[in-house]
Amino acid sequence: MQNIKKLYIEPSSFCNLNCKMCFRNNWFDETKSIMSEETVSKVLQLLNDGNYDSVFFGGMGEPLVHKDIFSMIESAASQGKKAELITNATLLNEETAQHLINSKLDVLWVSMDGFSEESYESVRRGSIYNKIIENLEYFNKVRGNVKLGFTFVMMNENLCELDKINNFADRFNAEYINLSHVVPADALKENEAVYELPYRVGKMHRFDKSENFKKQADYCPFVHDECCFIRHDGEVTACMQLLHNSYTYLFEEKRKIFSHSFGNINTTPLKDIWESEEYSAFRERVLNFEFPCCTICLGCDYRQENIKDCMYNDAPTCGACLWAQGFIRCP
């Protein structure tokens, strides 16, 4: 039986920005809220008892809006777990920076999709570039042993910014960069996509444009790396794709993605959920990748939802997942 090695925790599904490419904009039948005290209590118990290598605080909201985020980080770090957090850095003021450092955070990831005021603010709507730079300069000055990483979502409109990413990372002595393609929230003509560019996706130290990188298809990084997600309301799922209900696109074809929960930590121990017949069978199916090649198929009605597919799989189906086809990577 596999053990959970990396636990993703979503403290909040609420975000204080309205980023252009975020698939939160295309949610359906979803609530935007923060983790309740009851669920926080269960999470703290998991962090104290669970034998995980690392804990990542983030999901589809801004984790720093939660008042208990520092105690959750501290709980993970106190048990020897690697603690990481992703933020848009709007709330990364001096007080927050000190709290993160005192909580023994290992890695802070900051979402940056442009490296000038114009390019950044056109994507990160609601944020102020100069304030983000001010926050980063202070954090970099005082962060001590906390490592810093920047995430960048590649889109046709910001691809020219990639030439600046290494210099930006060097400016703040960042240890890591994470590159990913976008989850389409609008219809996308094939000649507008940048998926076929031979650029490495995922975590790296610096971007090398000359590297000819071949994406790994039919491979789920979350299942292979023995990850598990806990949503803000305690629901447990296997990956980022299944965390929330959302509409997305496979080029010009609109798709309806339903979230999928294997249980809730407020009513069932995480160990029991992880070892359940349904969750275990799903992980086995994903490891063997017993799904059709939906991204290169001419298409059928099955592809419009992740409920069934042409190989008689029931929900959740993964044949059209852009994470599994090597286009999208989370830190």
Side-chain angles (χ1 to χ4, degrees):
M1 175 65 67
Q2 292 176 312
N3 293 317
I4 300 171
K5 289 186 177 178
K6 187 170 186 177
L7 191 62
Y8 283 83
I9 296 172
E10 181 186 62
S12 169
S13 65
F14 167 80
C15 187
N16 58 342
L17 296 184
N18 183 31
C19 298
K20 182 175 183 179
M21 75 297 185
C22 183
F23 56 92
R24 292 173 71 257
N25 300 325
N26 282 13
W27 278 0
F28 64 89
D29 297 334
E30 285 285 345
T31 58
K32 298 174 182 178
S33 60
I34 65 171
M35 186 174 283
S36 68
E37 290 185 6
E38 176 190 12
T39 306
V40 168
S41 177
K42 294 290 186 180
V43 166
L44 291 174
Q45 182 179 336
L46 286 173
L47 296 177
N48 286 325
D49 299 340
N51 185 28
Y52 324 112
D53 294 338
S54 64
V55 181
F56 191 101
F57 295 95
M60 289 309 300
E62 170 54 50
L64 290 181
V65 303
H66 202 294
K67 64 180 180 64
D68 295 320
I69 186 61
F70 307 115
S71 63
M72 286 190 274
I73 296 169
E74 186 174 7
S75 181
S78 68
Q79 299 300 314
K81 301 172 179 66
K82 180 181 180 182
E84 302 181 68
L85 179 142
I86 189 167
T87 178
N88 57 37
T90 55
L91 304 177
L92 190 64
N93 54 32
E94 293 186 10
E95 181 181 4
T96 299
Q98 290 294 342
H99 278 310
L100 289 173
I101 294 164
N102 294 340
S103 300
K104 306 300 181 183
L105 184 72
D106 287 287
V107 184
L108 180 72
W109 290 95
V110 177
S111 300
M112 295 292 301
D113 304 298
F115 306 107
S116 67
E117 184 175 356
E118 180 181 5
S119 63
Y120 173 84
E121 292 182 5
S122 69
V123 175
R124 295 266 154 192
R125 295 181 301 203
S127 187
I128 300 172
Y129 178 77
N130 290 333
K131 180 60 178 175
I132 298 302
I133 296 302
E134 179 183 322
N135 290 347
L136 287 173
E137 286 176 341
Y138 179 80
F139 181 78
N140 190 45
K141 182 172 66 175
V142 301
R143 64 182 167 113
N145 294 326
V146 182
K147 293 181 171 60
L148 179 64
F150 292 113
T151 68
F152 183 92
V153 177
M154 294 183 285
M155 299 170 282
N156 192 47
E157 64 192 79
N158 73 347
L159 204 60
C160 60
E161 294 290 292
L162 267 180
D163 291 332
K164 306 174 185 176
I165 193 168
N166 288 338
N167 287 338
F168 189 86
D170 289 340
R171 174 180 176 181
F172 296 100
N173 304 305
E175 284 80 6
Y176 307 117
I177 292 170
N178 190 89
L179 299 184
S180 177
H181 291 285
V182 68
V183 179
D186 297 294
L188 189 67
K189 296 183 183 298
E190 290 201 40
N191 61 1
E192 296 175 348
V194 296
Y195 295 138
E196 299 308 315
L197 291 173
Y199 295 163
R200 175 179 290 276
V201 295
K203 190 166 80 171
M204 61 197 77
H205 291 291
R206 291 296 180 268
F207 171 60
D208 184 355
K209 196 172 186 177
S210 65
E211 180 181 10
N212 190 6
F213 177 72
K214 186 175 181 180
K215 297 176 181 65
Q216 189 172 9
D218 297 345
Y219 171 91
C220 174
F222 299 116
V223 172
H224 276 264
D225 292 345
E226 298 170 22
C227 302
C228 183
F229 281 71
I230 298 178
R231 206 166 67 173
H232 71 280
D233 54 3
E235 300 293 342
V236 176
T237 194
C239 65
M240 185 70 79
Q241 175 80 95
L242 299 177
L243 202 58
H244 293 282
N245 298 310
S246 66
Y247 291 104
T248 185
Y249 286 82
L250 188 59
F251 296 114
E252 295 183 80
E253 180 181 67
K254 191 173 184 177
R255 302 188 65 236
K256 192 173 186 179
I257 305 300
F258 292 90
S259 64
H260 190 91
S261 173
F262 294 97
N264 192 299
I265 62 169
N266 289 306
T267 57
T268 309
L270 180 59
K271 183 177 184 294
D272 292 349
I273 298 172
W274 176 259
E275 295 179 352
S276 68
E277 183 178 350
E278 182 194 7
Y279 199 172
S280 299
F282 174 73
R283 293 197 304 274
E284 185 69 21
R285 192 160 70 245
V286 174
L287 287 171
N288 295 326
F289 213 79
E290 300 166 358
F291 302 99
C293 300
C294 297
T295 56
I296 61 173
C297 176
L298 293 177
C300 67
D301 290 344
Y302 285 130
R303 197 169 66 174
Q304 295 172 10
E305 297 180 344
N306 64 334
I307 299 300
K308 289 183 179 293
D309 64 30
C310 63
M311 292 177 63
Y312 307 106
N313 288 303
D314 290 323
T317 60
C318 304
C321 175
L322 296 179
W323 277 271
Q325 298 309 316
F327 297 113
I328 300 173
R329 286 292 181 267
C330 301

